[in-house]
Amino acid sequence: MLALIGLLGGFITGISPCIIPVLPVILFSGGMQSARAPKATDAAETADQAGSGAGGVAVATRAERKAAKPVSRWRPYFVISGIVVSFTLMTLAGSLVLSLLGLPQDVLRWAGIIVLTLIGIGLMVPQVQHLLEKPFQRFPQMQTSKLQGFPLGLALGAVYVPCAGPVLAAITVAGATGQIGVDTVVLTVSFAIGAALPLLFFALAGRGLAERIAAFRKRQGVIRIVSGALMILLALGLVFDLPARLQRLVPDYTSAIQNAIADNEDVQSAIQIGGLENDENRDLDLCDPGATELQECGTAPSIRGIESWFNTEGDQPIDLADLRGQVVLVDFWAYSCINCQRSAPHINAWYDAYQDAGLEVIGVHSPEYAFEKERQNVIDGAEALGIEYPVAIDNNLSTWTNYRNAYWPARYLIDADGTVRNVHFGEGQYQEGERMLRELLQQANPDVQLPPVTETSDDTPSNADITPESYLGTTKVQNFGGEERYSTQTEQFSFPAELARDTFALDGAWQLETQFVTPREGEARIRLEYSGQEVRMVLAGEGTVVAEVDGERVELDVSGTPRSYQLLLADGNQEGTIEVTVPQGVEAYSFTFG
């Protein structure tokens, strides 16, 4: 099942606009270069063509004739095999290996660009190719007659970026968290093969075309030069991110299929790999997230993969095993999440009231957005919320995954023996949570003198009364009510004649990114039909955002890194319309509601 899902997901990616940047290289160097000359004279002419200069004089130098050696018929397969091997290794282990070595995450991409450039120069200048081959001459089995194209495939695999989809997302999470098992490898390899099959088709098609047209057969030298030039152009384009711009110009004709896969329950169940269920967290299923009484849900999973800590002595890490004998509350949160912001006063009150009675609180900061991975942003966000308990920065979502978590906020209450006794997702149930917390403290120490119950007001709104959080980036978009396709390739938007409740629409020229939207030029607008008492907007950049909130003008001076800005705070829940005018230079991430 996993192999079939991987092949299908990879194949859809392989026919998507993402392959456009590498297609010319595949056609020429992967295919046409392996075309077979039908006559011996053709082979001689091919060698002569390698040395043709200005004026068309077919005189090949000795070095050029040596470089114009017969090309293996297996070249297309070696190129594609190199892509599969490179993509698989980089996806599964690249990030972790580079982190262990302390190297930048993009070093392999730059290495691929350099190799691609060198191979391109070697194809155009035979003397350079001879120099590149010298290190391998002591290994005859590795010379180009045997493994032609494999190094090119390795380089292409390092720079090839498939379009995101549900299968690739599952693979990426597994690779980023280091939870790589047999299922993950099977899914990754099958995905890589599926994505490579269309490339192989184009390579073989290029070879077939070259063999059927005499002009191509007799001009292999020219094909070599064109192939080299295309590789160098691709490398230069990658340096300046031109392939991404090219892809945005082409409609994503595979998006409907990707969405169908993402919405399929069988597929979702099958690709929940990469450590989402393991020996540490399997028993968490025994907990009912809505329970108001203590349960037993197995030993608490470990806190792993943490990038850094703060609010601890010397910013040193905390091991749950060292906290046996204490009651522990593990709280998953993100500083720009409005639900977490409303939950924070309750967690703070519990920590202040019960830390002397044996309670330890650990806030696991699990980012929703890339900007939430910046340590100083998290520290500033925690300070703004009054958080003084220890915080673990889980930028790779390693602990998040180990707890099989899927919510902000989420609470895991652990007793003095290290057993999870209650799980709660989202806001609310603070009175019940505090009652269970006090019960565990008394079980751990029957002689403990507990302080009075905290009296922090519960401002949790009813979900039925408020608009769900609305993300504006393309990867997590929710509640879009416009008529256009919400994609990075769509640039112009218009408000619809009618906009449904709890939805938003765009108007003007917008640049849609994976996590935010920003005007392409001048100003652009967002219209929102909301329900709730409080409406906030996560913004970044520099500029003044002007909003019409139910006829009232609100101005927001936006400056710096992303943070939450208040658009509305009413006395009670209400429905209304907000129209926001965003200037160029400001990034809009989401609407949140309370």
Side-chain angles (χ1 to χ4, degrees), residues 13-29 83 109 113 116 152 155-157 159-163 199 202 226-250 253 489:
T13 297
I15 61 175
S16 72
C18 297
I19 68 169
I20 292 175
V22 299
L23 264 187
V25 173
I26 294 294
L27 280 169
F28 276 84
S29 189
I83 292 175
R109 177 177 178 273
I113 291 174
L116 200 60
L152 170 61
L156 287 174
V159 299
Y160 173 50
V161 181
C163 294
L199 297 178
F202 283 109
V226 172
S227 298
L230 288 172
M231 289 183 205
I232 295 173
L233 287 174
L234 175 59
L236 287 174
L238 290 165
V239 170
F240 295 102
D241 201 29
L242 296 181
R245 300 181 189 179
L246 175 63
Q247 291 167 14
R248 284 197 289 267
L249 297 176
V250 181
Y253 41 81
Q489 296 159 12

Side-chain angles (χ1 to χ4, degrees), residues 163-171 187 257-263 267-268 271:
C163 294
V167 179
L168 183 59
I171 295 169
L187 187 65
I257 307 175
Q258 292 279 25
N259 291 337
I261 293 177
D263 295 337
V267 172
Q268 291 176 356
I271 64 178

Side-chain angles (χ1 to χ4, degrees), residues 464-467 499-504 529-532 574-575:
D465 298 333
I466 66 170
T467 301
L499 190 60
R501 174 183 168 182
D502 298 334
T503 64
F504 73 91
E529 294 291 334
Y530 74 91
S531 303
Q574 62 184 46
E575 297 179 12

Side-chain angles (χ1 to χ4, degrees), residues 328-333 339-355 359-364 385-391 409-413 424 426-430 433-434 437 454 456-457:
V328 179
L329 177 65
V330 174
D331 180 60
F332 287 90
W333 68 294
N339 310 87
C340 303
Q341 293 170 9
R342 284 195 295 260
S343 175
H346 298 273
I347 309 300
N348 291 341
W350 294 348
Y351 182 67
D352 293 340
Y354 300 113
Q355 61 175 319
L359 173 68
E360 180 64 280
V361 176
I362 297 176
V364 180
L385 294 173
I387 293 174
E388 297 179 351
Y389 50 79
V391 174
R411 306 194 302 261
Y412 294 79
L413 187 57
H424 181 80
E427 301 176 68
Q429 290 193 354
Y430 298 112
E434 184 170 8
L437 186 155
T454 61
T456 305
S457 62

Side-chain angles (χ1 to χ4, degrees), residues 23 31 51 122 174 233 292 402 516 591:
L23 264 187
L233 287 174
T292 57
N402 202 34
F516 63 85
F591 289 101

